[in-house]
Amino acid sequence: MTQFNLISPINICNDWWLIHPPTVMASCGLVQASRCLHTSSQSLAPVPPLPEKPGKVRHGLIPEEFFQLLYPKTGVTGPYMLGTGLAIYMLSKEIYIINSSTLVALTVGSFFIYDVKKFGPSFAEFADKLNEEKVAKVQEVKDLAVAGLAQAIDSEKKEQWRVEGRSLLFDAKRNNVAALLETNHRERLHMVTNEVKKRLDYQIALQNLHRQMEQEHMVNWVEKSVISSITPQQEKESIAKCITDLKALARNTQAKATA
């Protein structure tokens, strides 16, 4: 069943008290300015919900509490005797006079009681069904809202978890940047080393080429100088000497071969 919150008289009084403070009331002469009406702190607790089922009644009108209140003093028949005596007193003293309106009231009351007894259960069932449908719709909306809020809470917790891991991510990024800088630095050092090595190799090759050219030039110069210094007579003698040496070498070789 749907629960409703009623406006408490205490809350109405408190609201009126906020609208009309003690100073205004004192100026109007309603209360004394030195009097404090708030002797206790206001309760912020919610108003208790209405009961789902009404209290017990007798004869469709009289509350059960009335009979329970009179039982200890008058007994079981006390409430009935009190009602009967009150009716007789009102009729005898002509406090209530029976007229046509009384007959109309009895007729209308009879029809009302008949309608309540006849159509009351079906109408109550229909009303309960409508109420249950409304409650089901409200519950569905509530469940959807709770599910959405739960999902939002999960998303918020996930975001908080991501925020907590942000420091680790930043540390990893810093390490990656430091590794990239170190790699770039070493690549540049390697490139500089290769360039310096190439330049040194070029200088060494250039020096070797100069030395080789100088040696070849020196050999050619010496050879030309020696050739130009030899006379035709010396050349003939040298050739003859060479032939003689070759013959002697041939004889020695032949002698060794025969031996």
Side-chain angles (χ1 to χ4, degrees), residues 36-41:
C36 182
L37 298 180
H38 289 285
T39 57
S40 63
S41 60

Side-chain angles (χ1 to χ4, degrees), residues 80-236:
Y80 301 99
M81 294 302 297
L82 177 62
T84 304
L86 182 61
I88 294 173
Y89 173 78
M90 293 177 66
L91 291 174
S92 64
K93 296 297 182 179
E94 295 184 354
I95 297 175
Y96 181 80
I97 300 174
I98 298 175
N99 51 19
S100 60
S101 300
T102 304
L103 298 177
V104 172
L106 290 175
T107 304
V108 173
S110 300
F111 277 107
F112 181 75
I113 293 172
Y114 175 77
D115 292 338
V116 171
K117 295 294 184 180
K118 181 67 176 179
F119 305 105
S122 60
F123 181 79
E125 184 179 357
F126 175 73
D128 290 339
K129 185 177 180 181
L130 292 179
N131 193 19
E132 288 176 358
E133 291 178 356
K134 292 181 180 179
V135 171
K137 292 180 180 179
V138 173
Q139 186 67 28
E140 183 179 0
V141 174
K142 178 182 176 182
D143 293 339
L144 292 176
V146 171
L149 293 175
Q151 185 177 2
I153 291 172
D154 294 338
S155 300
E156 182 64 23
K157 289 182 179 179
K158 186 180 293 184
E159 293 298 328
Q160 292 178 1
W161 175 73
R162 290 177 179 175
V163 170
E164 291 177 356
R166 184 175 57 183
S167 58
L168 300 177
L169 179 61
F170 286 168
D171 292 339
K173 288 185 176 181
R174 292 191 188 96
N175 294 332
N176 292 335
V177 171
L180 290 175
L181 293 176
E182 182 68 20
T183 303
N184 192 8
H185 176 67
R186 291 183 180 275
E187 288 179 354
R188 291 178 180 274
L189 289 177
H190 183 67
M191 182 179 66
V192 170
T193 303
N194 292 333
E195 293 296 329
V196 172
K197 184 176 180 300
K198 288 179 181 179
R199 295 177 184 274
L200 293 177
D201 292 339
Y202 173 76
Q203 295 295 329
I204 293 172
L206 184 60
Q207 291 179 3
N208 292 333
L209 180 60
H210 287 170
R211 188 179 298 107
Q212 184 179 0
M213 292 180 66
E214 289 176 355
Q215 290 177 357
E216 290 179 357
H217 179 71
M218 181 64 69
V219 170
N220 292 331
W221 180 76
V222 171
E223 185 178 357
K224 288 181 181 179
S225 299
V226 171
I227 292 173
S228 61
S229 63
I230 297 174
T231 60
Q233 184 63 32
Q234 290 178 349
E235 185 176 359
K236 290 180 181 180

Side-chain angles (χ1 to χ4, degrees), residues 5-61:
N5 291 331
L6 296 178
I7 300 176
S8 175
I10 298 176
N11 295 332
I12 296 176
C13 295
N14 292 333
D15 295 337
W16 189 88
W17 181 261
L18 294 175
I19 298 174
H20 303 283
T23 55
V24 177
M25 297 178 64
S27 63
C28 296
L30 297 178
V31 295
Q32 296 180 359
S34 61
R35 182 180 178 185
C36 182
L37 298 180
H38 289 285
T39 57
S40 63
S41 60
Q42 297 183 7
S43 176
L44 300 180
V47 179
L50 292 176
E52 296 183 1
K53 296 182 180 180
K56 294 182 179 181
V57 294
R58 292 189 183 183
H59 310 292
L61 183 64

Side-chain angles (χ1 to χ4, degrees), residues 240-254:
K241 178 64 174 164
C242 290
I243 292 171
T244 304
D245 292 338
L246 290 173
K247 289 180 179 180
L249 183 60
R251 286 195 299 269
N252 291 331
T253 303
Q254 187 176 3

